[in-house]
Amino acid sequence: MSTTLTWTRARRIALRAQGMGRARRSDPPTTASSRSALARTLERTQLLQIDSVSVFARAHHLPVFTRTGRWDPSVLERAVRPGPRRSLREGLAHEAAFVTPDIHRLLAFRRRAVSEKDWGALRDIAVSSPQLFPQIREVVADIGPVSAAAASKHLGDTERGEGWGWRRTETQWAVEYLFRTGELDCVGRSSQFERLYSLSTDDHPAPDVHPAQDEAASLRELVSRAARSLGIAEIGSLADYFRLRVRDVAPAVQELLAAGELQEVEVSHPAGTRRMLLHRDAPGPAPLRVAALVSPFDPIVFHRPRLAHLFDVEYRIGIYTPAAQRTTGYYSLLFLLGDVIPARVDLRADRARGVLEVQGTYREPLPHLPARQRPPDAAIVEALTAELWRAARWQGLEEVEVRTGAGTGELSTALAEFAHR
């Protein structure tokens, strides 16, 4: 007989599995508190998705703030540097991400698959410039850590091709390939946010382990970790967590069900009951006292179908939409209040003026959520104001400035009035 959970309880389990619900820091952080905050976050999330947009704060800095409050992101930069205290690696997990050493090891089968894949661009390079790969290895060994652009310049390769989008030189394509295969290691980022590469020193898998066995074992462990991090999820979300295919993770899900690590449950929903998978170590569904900004690249919400099914929110980021067609700003962050996401805000840090600009404050429609479960506007505005001031201080800003008027959202006037009392 299947266990049935309410929609509210499912949301609470999901949020607590991701580390939400604990007290968050408002005071200035220390190095020790920041290291602890980063470790506590990664214990729950396993990864931090990387994004270069810094209009407010970088996407990989926000999940720690969301869960623990004010922290010093410089501890993340130090955690990636090579050496005995290195605790994170950059790799392709959920897109580009900082991952724990365990996750990096478990994704070795993906790097091996890339090395065996026939990239069209690389095939052409191998024919036209067979000496390029040895030259890149020599450049990285001699002058690394080095960016792909710097390596390309060093080799006198400046031809970027035609068209738009990823216009790279042959050297840059080759460097990207060597990184994806694991032959090059990313050991940090430049001031322009370019990857800096060194030759990898990774250990190779044991020779007596067959690649297929290694992949199957890794897939099972990755699914297990995704399930633990999500608490409760549909199979599509389990696969998406590390950007795996549903058909590849389905056997692992069946094994975990047979072992009792996963349990099929039914979640009641106004649009119809949903069958989901509950991890045996999932936290209980106790109510949450939390008000926090959430990045669109946070593991809580980065699988958009999960965001819609579990939180009743449809999200499309505005940075890829022409300005005239944006409805909720350029890079809006979601605002979590309790176990509901009732609003989103479009933020910009004007560091020259020391001001956190709130360029838009938008109410979420929440079409399926019963009216009695929706926070009133006054409660949203009061909690959001406190969170915006915490965010401003975290970013070293002294003022919060709320824009109002056409296009700034349904909550902007009320927020402006409350924030400046």
Side-chain angles (χ1 to χ4, degrees):
M1 183 175 179
S2 296
T3 300
T4 300
L5 295 172
T6 65
W7 188 19
T8 297
R9 284 174 172 257
R11 291 197 304 273
R12 291 173 179 172
I13 290 170
L15 290 166
R16 289 196 174 278
Q18 277 285 310
M20 299 302 299
R22 297 180 62 173
R24 297 169 65 234
R25 189 182 187 96
S26 295
D27 296 335
T30 65
T31 298
S33 70
S34 296
R35 285 175 180 159
S36 176
L38 178 60
R40 292 205 322 265
T41 299
L42 286 164
E43 183 181 0
R44 298 295 188 139
T45 66
Q46 309 284 324
L47 55 78
L48 297 172
Q49 185 178 344
I50 300 169
D51 190 73
S52 62
V53 177
S54 59
V55 63
F56 164 60
R58 297 202 189 276
H60 42 286
H61 294 165
L62 271 161
V64 184
F65 174 73
T66 297
R67 288 158 181 77
T68 67
R70 293 175 67 181
W71 74 296
D72 180 1
S74 68
V75 304
L76 174 59
E77 297 172 12
R78 291 194 288 272
V80 179
R81 295 173 189 164
R85 301 189 67 178
R86 187 181 197 185
S87 59
L88 290 176
R89 301 286 296 269
E90 179 172 339
L92 297 177
H94 187 92
E95 304 300 333
F98 294 118
V99 298
T100 62
D102 281 351
I103 298 300
H104 188 266
R105 174 184 55 79
L106 289 168
L107 289 169
F109 74 90
R110 178 181 287 167
R111 294 189 293 277
R112 183 169 60 244
V114 170
S115 69
E116 297 167 355
K117 185 178 179 180
D118 185 13
W119 284 23
L122 272 298
R123 188 189 322 120
D124 295 341
I125 292 170
V127 173
S128 63
S129 307
Q131 77 289 350
L132 183 56
F133 288 99
Q135 288 176 335
I136 290 172
R137 296 183 185 101
E138 185 177 345
V139 167
V140 174
D142 289 346
I143 66 173
V146 63
S147 69
S152 188
K153 183 178 179 180
H154 187 83
L155 292 172
D157 182 8
T158 59
E159 180 57 52
R160 292 180 177 271
E162 300 177 353
W164 62 278
W166 292 105
R167 295 177 59 238
R168 292 170 169 164
T169 65
E170 286 190 347
T171 300
Q172 288 173 308
W173 278 115
V175 167
E176 175 72 14
Y177 171 77
L178 292 173
F179 168 65
R180 289 180 178 235
T181 65
E183 190 167 340
L184 294 183
D185 181 14
C186 177
V187 295
R189 294 272 182 159
S190 72
S191 58
Q192 290 78 39
F193 207 65
E194 300 171 298
R195 287 194 188 108
L196 299 176
Y197 300 98
S198 290
L199 294 178
S200 177
T201 57
D202 286 348
D203 294 330
H204 296 288
D208 58 339
V209 177
H210 191 277
Q213 293 176 325
D214 178 57
E215 180 174 349
S218 294
L219 281 169
R220 175 172 169 152
E221 181 62 19
L222 288 167
V223 173
S224 171
R225 292 188 181 225
R228 190 179 299 111
S229 290
L230 293 172
I232 185 169
E234 294 172 291
I235 189 171
S237 298
L238 296 180
D240 180 76
Y241 206 84
F242 294 109
R243 282 293 198 253
L244 304 169
R245 294 178 295 190
V246 170
R247 70 185 185 194
D248 291 337
V249 306
V253 169
Q254 291 304 313
E255 289 181 24
L256 294 171
L257 283 166
E261 186 170 341
L262 294 181
Q263 174 191 356
E264 288 187 325
V265 297
E266 293 184 346
V267 176
S268 58
H269 190 282
T273 299
R274 293 190 177 278
R275 296 190 68 83
M276 302 185 78
L277 299 164
L278 178 70
H279 194 272
R280 67 183 173 202
D281 296 330
L288 294 96
R289 294 176 58 86
V290 63
L293 295 169
V294 181
S295 161
F297 299 114
D298 191 296
I300 293 172
V301 302
F302 61 26
H303 190 218
R304 300 298 187 247
R306 177 178 173 84
L307 176 59
H309 297 166
L310 206 53
F311 293 98
D312 212 24
V313 172
E314 298 285 345
Y315 185 94
R316 180 179 179 182
I317 198 164
I319 57 178
Y320 305 117
T321 305
Q325 298 175 24
R326 293 177 193 142
T327 57
T328 57
Y330 176 75
Y331 189 80
S332 288
L333 304 181
L334 299 160
F335 179 58
L336 175 69
L337 184 59
D339 56 58
V340 177
I341 298 175
R344 69 181 71 177
V345 286
D346 186 25
L347 302 182
R348 177 180 177 272
D350 187 336
R351 303 191 190 282
R353 294 195 301 135
V355 172
L356 176 59
E357 296 180 354
V358 185
Q359 302 188 105
T361 314
Y362 309 91
R363 187 191 298 115
E364 291 293 343
L366 304 176
H368 297 102
L369 195 71
R372 67 182 182 277
Q373 294 184 25
R374 302 182 193 182
D377 288 357
I380 297 171
V381 165
E382 181 178 359
L384 178 56
T385 297
E387 178 65 358
L388 290 171
W389 277 106
R390 190 201 314 259
R393 294 187 180 103
W394 172 50
Q395 289 295 302
L397 306 172
E398 299 174 353
E399 297 292 337
V400 175
E401 185 178 278
V402 182
R403 292 187 180 180
T404 59
T408 60
E410 306 85 352
L411 298 174
S412 60
T413 299
L415 182 67
E417 292 174 354
F418 193 94
H420 294 99
R421 284 181 183 178

